[in-house]
Amino acid sequence: MNDMTRVERQVDTNKIKLECRDCQVHYGETHAIKDVNVDIEDKTVTAFIGPSGCGKSTFLRCLNRMNDTIDIARVKGSFKLDGEDIYDKRVDPVQLRAKVGMVFQKPNPFPKSIYDNVAYGPRIHGLAKNKADLDDIVEKSLRRGAIWDEVKDRLDAPGTGLSGGQQQRLCIARAVATEPEVLLMDEPCSALDPIATAQVEELIDELREQYSVVIVTHSMQQAARVSQKTAFFHLGSLVEFGETGQIFTNPVDPRTESYITGRIG
Amino acid sequence: MPIVWLFLIVMAIAAIGYVLGRSRALQSAGGDSRDLHSLPVFYGANVALKAVVPAFGLLIIWLLAQPLYVSSQVSQTIPDSVIKEGSSRSLVMAEVRRTAFGLDNAVAQGDITEELARNARADVADMTQRLKDAGQVVTSNITQPVLMAAQSYRILNSTGYFIMSIVVIAAALLGAAFSWRQTHSEYRARNVVEQGIRVLLLAAASIAILTTVGIVLSLVFNTWEFFKLYPATDFFFGLTWSPSFSGRGGSSALGVLPLLWGTLYISIVALLVAVPIGLFAAIYLSEYASPRVRAFAKPLLEVLAGIPTIVYGLFALLTVGPLLLGIFGDGGLGWMKAGTAVMTAGLVMGIMLIPFVSSLSDDIINAVPQAMRDGSYGLGATQSETIRQVVLPAALPGIVGAILLAASRAIGETMIVVLGAGAAARLSLNPFEAMTTVTAKIVSQLTGDADFASPEALVAFALGMTLFIITLGLNVFALYIVRKYREQYE
């Protein structure tokens, strides 16, 4: 598995950005997440892998309280971002989501121009002093989303008119524009072709320099390529969590081994 | 023979044809249905269809054509001398028809014999008396030419119906026999039946379209008649509406502008009430309400749409009018003189339109993909920011369409206006004054003793045409908006 590695494995540990303890999620009667403990490190890409329906996306959505928008979902446990509980009553989920950005499985640009898509977050959070400042933020974000060169001449065109891969990179640029500290990505490449996937993966690696990135993926190759830490979920439980290289070459749990060798899932 | 009998006979022929066709097909395949091209039912249906369709087609055409033919034949026999001064041939023909109808009924009741009814030398006065005794409506004393015309009218009609019955039954029999002979194991009965079903469905669709065309044509011709009697420029640009009720004479001023102004003013007030309330209700129901509240509140809101407009009219007249008068009338601010006013009708019409706007907008807002909302929440937007900046722009074309549909409904509304807005055609900016609309005036011009040759009655068609064109334009515009923007966002 080491031949797939595009990123050098970091052995030294960064400081813990997001600490999750005894996490439980219920969807109505269903116990979707059971006793999950994960530490997300700063400036690290953490991958969540596991078969469909194992709860990785649900857990991801706990990290920026997106499950609040689902009526029947109940979340328990402690989630600490920089030592502060994000489920505390005093925490405004809206502000939390500005700090913990999210990119979704399906590209979902707003029915607005490319410029307005990227400017959306900065505008609602008042990040720009004036128009020139906003222009700068938009350009910087689009460059960081590796899409600036493709769209710089048509910033007024609707974002929905771009190709699938471009749309996803636009969504990443949009998420980056609010300067989040953690970026959650829910299968960001599942709707993309291999070329667009490679572009997004390269982008994720660049984002690691500034953010903590959590990525849910179905592709074990992708997890191996982009992540430093990997968590394997199965049936709502966290089976194994560790260095990506260790998970893929020397898994401790037999279930992890079965999954990465293709026997379950 | 009554039409019902004819209908039953044709159906019986079709039923027999069905059975015969089916058995002939089976026979030709030696009793094994697997050797047939189609299932046995298709052979039966083929025969039945070919018996029914031509027969009924003929029946409908005949029923439409015969009255026209008979009328024109009888009309020719009436000498010009009979037509009185100030009357017309069509009025005499109406009398002829009435008399013929009276004779029919009298014979059916047994008050007079068929021979007497047909007797060309019957005494006119005696006949009139007999018809009156039989309880038939005969307005004036029947004259000799009218009686003769009525008698020939009756005879022509009864012969016509007799021939029709024979022709229709013959057509059914011929159709059945022809298709029965066609029936053979190789015959592609299924394809023919499929084709026949297609044609039937097409016919159903065409009837709806043809009816619309017919309505428009009748509007167009009557409008044309009106413009022959009354100058079009005075109609479209006239600033006063004061029809004379005496009937004839050129003293009527039939300018449409005060009516259009009233229509637009009341519709605008109604939309100002309905659009914000309806839209906010829709946003609450689709974005904020819990499923329980929604399941309870949405049908309740839609009950508003089920209330007959006359009830809204009563509500305007008895509740809203006096209420407004209490606030803005002489006892209060002194702007309002009577309960009937633009404001009264507009408010009540606005309430009526709330479910239109809310129900349509609610569906449209729900159709905005959840991914849009997630994307916005994921960037740290609040719920109202998400709705304002993402959901509403995405749903806007549909919402505009809903508003335009509500507008065309407001423009066409009648009962609320009749009861709530008053009857005075007036060009005024004060919303507390009584005004009236195009629809209300159509009602008042056509009710009562309207002489359909006078401009005062014919103006109703011109008004209807104007209204039709406005609402059609609005609907087309609404569809255009919805289509154009939907394509862009999908």
Side-chain angles (χ1 to χ4, degrees), chain B residues 30-54:
Chain B
D32 187 353
S33 65
R34 280 175 300 181
D35 291 341
L36 291 170
H37 169 269
S38 317
L39 289 172
V41 285
F42 284 111
Y43 292 95
N46 175 41
V47 176
L49 269 180
K50 282 180 180 164
V52 166
V53 173

Side-chain angles (χ1 to χ4, degrees), chain B residues 261-344:
Chain B
W261 171 243
T263 303
L264 290 182
Y265 205 174
I266 292 173
S267 302
I268 287 168
V269 172
L271 289 178
L272 283 179
V273 173
V275 170
I277 296 180
L279 200 53
F280 290 168
I283 290 171
Y284 172 74
L285 283 179
S286 59
E287 298 287 323
Y288 289 89
S290 69
R292 277 232 315 278
V293 174
R294 190 183 144 82
F296 168 77
K298 202 179 176 202
L300 248 152
L301 196 61
E302 280 164 4
V303 164
L304 274 182
I307 297 175
T309 54
I310 184 77
V311 176
Y312 279 112
L314 290 177
F315 178 58
L317 188 67
L318 300 177
T319 312
V320 176
L323 198 74
L324 287 177
L325 197 62
I327 302 168
F328 300 103
D330 286 334
L333 293 165
W335 295 341
M336 204 169 170
K337 290 182 185 61
T340 50
V342 167
M343 213 55 183
T344 315

Side-chain angles (χ1 to χ4, degrees), chain A residues 38 46-50 229-233 238-242 247:
Chain A
V38 173
T46 308
F48 290 173
I49 59 169
K229 293 275 198 156
T230 297
F232 170 60
F233 285 79
L238 179 67
V239 174
E240 195 166 347
F241 178 51
I247 294 272

Side-chain angles (χ1 to χ4, degrees), chain B residues 269-271 273-275 345-355:
Chain B
V269 172
L271 289 178
V273 173
V275 170
L347 282 179
V348 175
M349 204 191 284
I351 294 168
M352 179 195 80
L353 292 177
I354 289 172

Side-chain angles (χ1 to χ4, degrees), chain B residues 58-318:
Chain B
L58 209 61
L59 179 68
I60 290 168
I61 291 168
W62 197 291
L63 283 176
L64 290 177
Q66 184 177 311
L68 296 178
Y69 173 77
V70 170
S71 292
S72 77
Q73 286 296 312
V74 173
S75 174
Q76 281 169 16
T77 66
I78 301 174
D80 281 340
S81 58
V82 179
I83 298 159
K84 277 178 269 173
E85 190 65 30
S87 181
S88 70
R89 191 167 283 274
S90 65
L91 284 177
V92 177
M93 271 311 290
E95 205 166 314
V96 168
R97 243 176 257 125
R98 220 160 26 227
T99 312
F101 188 66
L103 283 172
D104 278 345
N105 281 343
V107 171
Q109 287 172 7
D111 290 327
I112 56 174
T113 58
E114 184 65 37
E115 288 79 51
L116 186 60
R118 292 195 177 211
N119 185 357
R121 275 191 292 278
D123 179 38
V124 179
D126 174 53
M127 191 62 95
T128 309
Q129 196 51 48
R130 276 169 183 274
L131 283 179
K132 279 182 177 161
D133 289 344
Q136 296 307 318
V137 185
V138 180
T139 45
S140 58
N141 281 348
I142 301 167
T143 57
Q144 191 66 39
V146 167
L147 181 63
M148 285 191 24
Q151 284 170 337
S152 72
Y153 183 89
R154 282 191 70 221
I155 290 162
L156 272 175
N157 251 346
S158 65
T159 354
Y161 284 128
F162 181 69
I163 298 171
M164 179 187 75
S165 307
I166 293 171
V167 169
V168 166
I169 292 171
L173 284 173
L174 271 178
F178 172 70
S179 53
W180 183 75
R181 278 184 60 84
Q182 270 185 327
T183 303
H184 185 262
S185 63
E186 300 286 302
Y187 183 68
R188 302 186 170 194
R190 182 174 47 205
N191 307 27
V192 175
V193 172
E194 286 295 320
Q195 198 68 25
I197 287 170
R198 212 181 80 114
V199 171
L200 276 182
L201 298 179
L202 183 75
S206 329
I207 285 173
I209 294 164
L210 287 178
T211 313
T212 314
V213 172
I215 290 172
V216 172
L217 282 183
S218 87
L219 274 180
V220 167
F221 285 125
N222 285 302
T223 307
W224 186 248
E225 285 293 310
F226 170 69
F227 284 138
K228 276 200 260 178
L229 296 172
Y230 193 86
T233 47
D234 287 2
F235 174 72
F236 284 118
F237 302 109
L239 293 179
T240 43
W241 173 271
S242 58
S244 74
F245 289 100
S246 58
R248 11 217 100 257
S251 58
S252 293
L254 301 172
V256 74
L257 285 180
L259 304 185
L260 274 185
W261 171 243
T263 303
L264 290 182
Y265 205 174
I266 292 173
S267 302
I268 287 168
V269 172
L271 289 178
L272 283 179
V273 173
V275 170
I277 296 180
L279 200 53
F280 290 168
I283 290 171
Y284 172 74
L285 283 179
S286 59
E287 298 287 323
Y288 289 89
S290 69
R292 277 232 315 278
V293 174
R294 190 183 144 82
F296 168 77
K298 202 179 176 202
L300 248 152
L301 196 61
E302 280 164 4
V303 164
L304 274 182
I307 297 175
T309 54
I310 184 77
V311 176
Y312 279 112
L314 290 177
F315 178 58
L317 188 67
L318 300 177

